[in-house]
């Protein structure tokens, strides 16, 4: 239980309120698993960049780009 001051009433008057979540028990949730680096996504990005670089190196000398 906590004591709160109500500014609309006299400073001598106080009211007590029970916390609203006191009736609901808090369940402990397991900690989320540690996320690693997205290796597959990073590898696909590097491969796509390499393929794009090779494609540009082949297309430019042919005058198509």
């Amino acid at each position: 239980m906590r004591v709160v001051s109500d500014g609309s009433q006299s400073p001598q008057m106080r009211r007590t309120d029970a916390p609203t979540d006191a009736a609901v028990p808090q369940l402990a949730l397991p900690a989320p698993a540690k996320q690693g680096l997205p290796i597959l996504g990073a590898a696909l990005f590097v491969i796509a960049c390499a393929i794009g670089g090779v494609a540009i190196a082949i297309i430019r000398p042919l005058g198509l780009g």
Side-chain angles (χ1 to χ4, degrees), residues 6-60:
D6 190 357
S8 66
Q9 296 179 357
S10 170
Q12 273 74 25
M13 296 184 69
R14 292 183 180 230
R15 73 172 190 224
T16 58
D17 290 338
T20 56
D21 59 349
V24 180
Q26 298 293 325
L27 300 176
L29 298 175
K34 184 178 179 183
Q35 296 291 330
L37 291 175
I39 299 298
L40 180 61
L44 290 175
F45 178 75
V46 170
I47 291 171
C49 288
I51 291 172
V54 169
I56 289 176
I58 292 173
I59 292 174
R60 281 220 172 150

